[in-house]
């Protein structure tokens, strides 16, 4: 595993992050045991950064991870544990819709819930999960300061924030935002075009890519590729995979890793062999020419 400094923190993070969204599966005993095996496989493969959210598996993903920590407490000191909150599902009453909530009370309670389920005393990173349109930056800054002072969260970031939203939040904070977890894949290249990756480079904010294999290994969210688009991408990926002597999905990871903003792809497989195989992308000497060839195949035309 390749490890790199996580900017604006003292941490050295595995370049690939293990995503825990699906580790509890259908929450059956068999699924939970499979999830535990996946966690251990990731640790054995050198992943030290694990991504959670309070809503994953309705909280059961964090609880499952907490069982692993409880069984092997010595693991905690060697791991970077990230969690997210701010999405409130429609389950509290019939009137309340699904919504976002960055109020102080909600965030403080959410962090307490994650700590309890994860069986840890602190989070290394806490991210606001999706932008709350009613966000009061001063209230969020105050909440972050309380969590920092209490030792319950070491560092803070955001997820799915646009550059303007990041700047608004940064304007009210005395501490840095160290990460922005966003969708980045061959289908969704918004972060290349809307300034997100530019901002990450400028302010040393780590871009963490969720759904990095969308549009290739599985359908992307809101897939808009035509059959012709998919065929062009497949042809180019197959050719590059042959040249690099790897799998097409590993080429996609290399394509993301090539960006100078130092993207951290999230690997969410629960198959030990695939968790290990993702590391192949880290060893590819991926070229600028191949990066643009794949970009051209994706767009159906060369850059202007």
């Amino acid at each position: 595993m390749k490890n790199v400094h996580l900017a604006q923190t003292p941490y050295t993070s595995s370049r690939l992050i293990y995503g825990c969204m699906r580790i509890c599966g259908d929450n059956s005993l068999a699924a939970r045991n499979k999830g535990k095996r996946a966690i251990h496989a990731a640790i054995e493969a050198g992943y030290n950064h694990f991504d959670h959210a309070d809503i994953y598996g309705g909280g059961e993903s964090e609880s499952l991870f907490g069982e692993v920590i409880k069984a092997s407490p010595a693991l905690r000191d060697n791991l970077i544990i990230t969690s997210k909150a701010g999405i409130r599902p429609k389950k509290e009453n019939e009137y309340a819709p699904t919504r976002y909530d960055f109020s102080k009370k909600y965030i403080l309670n959410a962090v307490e819930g994650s700590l309890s389920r994860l069986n840890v005393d602190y989070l290394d990173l806490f991210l606001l999960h999706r932008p709350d349109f009613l966000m009061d930056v001063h209230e969020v800054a105050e909440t972050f300061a309380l969590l920092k002072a209490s030792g319950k969260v070491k560092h803070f970031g955001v997820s799915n924030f646009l550059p303007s939203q990041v700047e608004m939040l940064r304007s009210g904070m005395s501490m840095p935002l160290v990460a922005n977890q966003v969708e980045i894949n061959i289908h969704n290249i918004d972060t290349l075009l809307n300034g997100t990756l530019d901002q990450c480079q400028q302010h040393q904010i780590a871009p963490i890519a969720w759904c990095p294999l969308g549009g290739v290994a599985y359908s992307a969210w809101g897939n808009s590729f035509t059959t012709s688009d998919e065929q062009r991408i497949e042809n180019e990926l197959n050719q590059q995979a042959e040249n690099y002597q790897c799998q097409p999905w590993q080429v996609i990871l290399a394509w993301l890793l090539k960006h100078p903003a130092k993207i951290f792809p999230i690997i969410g497989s629960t198959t030990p062999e695939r968790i290990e195989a993702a590391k192949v992308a880290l060893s590819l000497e991926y070229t600028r020419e191949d990066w643009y060839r794949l970009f051209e195949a994706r767009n159906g035309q060369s850059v202007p």
Side-chain angles (χ1 to χ4, degrees), residues 240-254:
Q240 291 193 20
E242 182 177 353
N243 292 340
Y244 288 103
Q245 297 185 327
C246 67
Q247 298 298 313
W249 65 271
Q250 294 164 330
V251 172
I252 285 292
L253 291 177

Side-chain angles (χ1 to χ4, degrees), residues 23-36 60 64:
I23 57 172
C24 66
D26 63 5
N27 209 36
S28 65
L29 179 60
R32 293 178 71 86
N33 286 336
K34 180 180 180 181
K36 289 180 181 180
E60 289 298 331
L64 179 62

Side-chain angles (χ1 to χ4, degrees), residues 110-155:
V111 170
E112 290 288 353
S114 288
L115 294 177
S116 177
R117 288 186 293 272
L118 289 163
N119 199 37
V120 297
D121 296 325
Y122 65 91
L123 295 174
D124 296 288
L125 272 72
F126 172 72
L127 312 182
L128 299 171
H129 204 159
R130 284 190 180 272
D132 176 8
F133 301 114
L134 301 180
M135 174 176 64
D136 181 328
V137 296
H138 303 293
E139 183 178 9
V140 171
E142 178 186 354
T143 305
F144 282 3
L146 289 171
L147 290 167
K148 179 82 170 179
S150 70
K152 293 176 181 178
V153 177
K154 302 298 185 182
H155 301 279

Side-chain angles (χ1 to χ4, degrees), residues 54-55 85-90 92 96-104 106-107 128-136 139-140 159-161 165 210:
D54 60 348
I55 65 170
I87 300 176
R88 299 187 69 167
K90 183 179 180 179
E92 293 151 346
T98 299
R99 61 211 186 275
Y100 309 129
D101 191 342
F102 292 173
S103 64
K104 180 169 69 173
Y106 186 77
I107 293 301
L128 299 171
H129 204 159
R130 284 190 180 272
D132 176 8
F133 301 114
L134 301 180
M135 174 176 64
D136 181 328
E139 183 178 9
V140 171
S159 182
N160 303 297
F161 272 48
Q165 294 162 334
W210 61 266

Side-chain angles (χ1 to χ4, degrees), residues 141-142 144-145 169-177:
E142 178 186 354
F144 282 3
L169 183 53
R170 289 181 72 247
S171 72
M173 292 183 58
S174 59
M175 64 186 79
L177 294 173

